[in-house]
Every structure is written in structure tokens, then in C-alpha cells.
Amino acid sequence: MHREVHKELEKKMDKTISFLKEDLGSIRAGRANPKLVDKIKVDYYGTPTPLNQLSNISVPEPRCLLIQPYDINALKDIEKTLGASDLGVNPSNDGKVIRIMIPELTEERRKDLLKTVKKETENAKVALRNERRDTNEKLKKMEKNGDLTKDDLRDAETEVQKITDKYIKKVEEIYSDKETEILEV
């Protein structure tokens, strides 16, 4: 019975990890990364459309993003949207593709980015702890209803803590990787 509860907890925690990775992927470090433009939506014939559905996005050099629209008519709209975005980049359009040069990060900008990354990872840890609390409450209700013995409850809560520790460690590894990426010169 409590095995399903543990599987459900892992599923929820996997979603938290995926969300964190997605969020941190859009934070610009010193290198070009197609994930930087994942959240960009371009007005394409009146419909806000994700940029990655309108074009091929590649990284020909470490500090350059190359955006090649499938429909050449969308080039101007893509360029305008990128210029107005909060990425802080100046796209250049040669009539066929858009190039985005990723500038070096200043020391101050690196510190700001690290604060943002730290905040996002702390939010993920809080979410994981909330999922742990909710699962433990569910297990206590099961024990109260007679579905679990006191020993089963203790074992199940110990397993919940092991699962939580495993995911907290994943969050810390993700933070460490992003920190390395941001501090890389």
C-alpha cells in the first residue's frame, strides 16, 4: 500500500527537478545555449509561438546562437522579439539567419546570476520538503485508518526521508553544475 505512496512521491519530486532544470536552463551564463530562448514566444500570424517551433537553433561557436527560421517571413518578427526580450542581447539579421553573440559576463552580473540560481534551488528544496510533509501526512492517515501498522508507518516515513535526501542531493548537484557554468570564464 505505502509503495504506491512512495512512487507517487518520486513522481512529484521528478517534476520538481525537471522544473528546476528548465528554469535554470533559461538563465544566461557566459556561453551560448539553445535553452536561453526556450521561453521566447514570437507573434507568428497573430499567435504567440515558441521560437524553437519556428526555427532551427544551433550553437556554431561557444558564444554564438544561430537562429534559422523555417519561414523566412518570420525573420523580422523573431529579431524584434529577441531584441525586446530580457536576454540583454542584440540580434543581428543577415536576411537568412539571426546571430546572437553572447557577451562575457561581468563579475557583478555573475554574482547576480548566482543569487538567482541559489533562490531557485532553495525554492526547489522547499517544494521537495512540502512534498515530503504531504506524503508523511498521507501515511499517518493510512495508519489512523488501520491500513498501516505503527511499524509500517515508521518504515514508510524512513523511506520517505531517504527519497527526499536523494532529491535534495540532486538539487545541490544541479546548483553546483550551474554555478560552475556561470563562474566559467
Side-chain angles (χ1 to χ4, degrees), residues 1 14 30 58 61 73 75 97 99 110 113 122 130 132 144 156-157 160 162 164 182:
M1 188 85 169
D14 278 334
S58 60
E61 301 165 30
N73 297 324
L75 196 66
V97 297
R99 282 185 175 72
R110 288 176 201 271
L113 288 174
E122 285 306 315
N130 288 341
R132 173 188 61 194
K144 193 175 180 181
E157 287 176 334
V160 166
K162 282 181 187 172
T164 305
I182 289 171

Side-chain angles (χ1 to χ4, degrees), residues 9-19 128 131 167 170:
L9 174 64
E10 290 214 40
K11 225 181 254 179
K12 286 179 181 176
M13 289 188 168
D14 278 334
K15 281 183 185 170
T16 300
I17 295 291
S18 294
F19 187 75
L128 292 174
E131 289 158 2
Y167 280 89
K170 282 184 183 183

Side-chain angles (χ1 to χ4, degrees), residues 1-10 135 138 142:
M1 188 85 169
H2 57 86
R3 302 258 182 267
E4 287 88 43
V5 173
H6 291 141
K7 282 181 182 163
E8 187 181 324
L9 174 64
E10 290 214 40
T135 301
K138 197 180 289 183
M142 289 169 72

Side-chain angles (χ1 to χ4, degrees), residues 22-181:
E22 190 178 305
D23 256 14
L24 295 185
S26 66
I27 293 177
R28 179 169 72 88
R31 307 182 132 203
N33 180 342
K35 287 186 186 285
L36 291 176
V37 294
D38 270 0
K39 293 183 178 176
I40 305 274
K41 290 191 192 291
V42 178
D43 186 23
Y44 185 64
Y45 294 106
T47 306
T49 308
L51 179 59
N52 58 10
Q53 290 179 15
L54 292 175
S55 55
N56 180 38
I57 303 165
S58 60
V59 182
E61 301 165 30
R63 295 198 183 286
C64 178
L65 263 185
L66 189 69
I67 299 167
Q68 196 166 15
Y70 301 128
D71 176 0
I72 204 73
N73 297 324
L75 196 66
K76 286 273 187 239
D77 290 333
I78 292 171
E79 182 182 24
K80 191 171 83 179
T81 302
L82 287 168
S85 73
D86 62 358
L87 288 175
V89 295
N90 291 321
S92 68
N93 166 358
D94 71 2
K96 292 182 181 158
V97 297
I98 296 172
R99 282 185 175 72
I100 299 176
M101 296 310 290
I102 307 296
E104 291 268 350
L105 295 175
T106 64
E107 195 59 37
E108 188 177 326
R109 182 71 179 130
R110 288 176 201 271
K111 286 178 184 170
D112 288 346
L113 288 174
L114 280 176
K115 282 181 192 169
T116 303
V117 170
K118 186 76 172 160
K119 189 176 130 214
E120 292 297 328
T121 54
E122 285 306 315
N123 289 344
K125 286 180 183 180
V126 168
L128 292 174
R129 290 183 191 113
N130 288 341
E131 289 158 2
R132 173 188 61 194
R133 183 198 62 225
D134 294 347
T135 301
N136 281 336
E137 285 174 9
K138 197 180 289 183
L139 289 167
K140 284 177 183 152
K141 280 182 189 167
M142 289 169 72
E143 188 253 345
K144 193 175 180 181
N145 293 340
D147 296 333
L148 290 176
T149 66
K150 282 211 180 296
D151 286 344
D152 287 342
L153 173 64
R154 190 179 57 246
D155 292 345
E157 287 176 334
T158 301
E159 183 62 26
V160 166
Q161 187 57 49
K162 282 181 187 172
I163 292 168
T164 305
D165 292 343
K166 178 176 92 175
Y167 280 89
I168 294 278
K169 189 172 189 249
K170 282 184 183 183
V171 167
E172 289 167 354
E173 287 168 3
I174 291 167
Y175 172 79
S176 178
D177 290 348
K178 192 66 179 181
E179 179 184 41
T180 302
E181 184 184 327

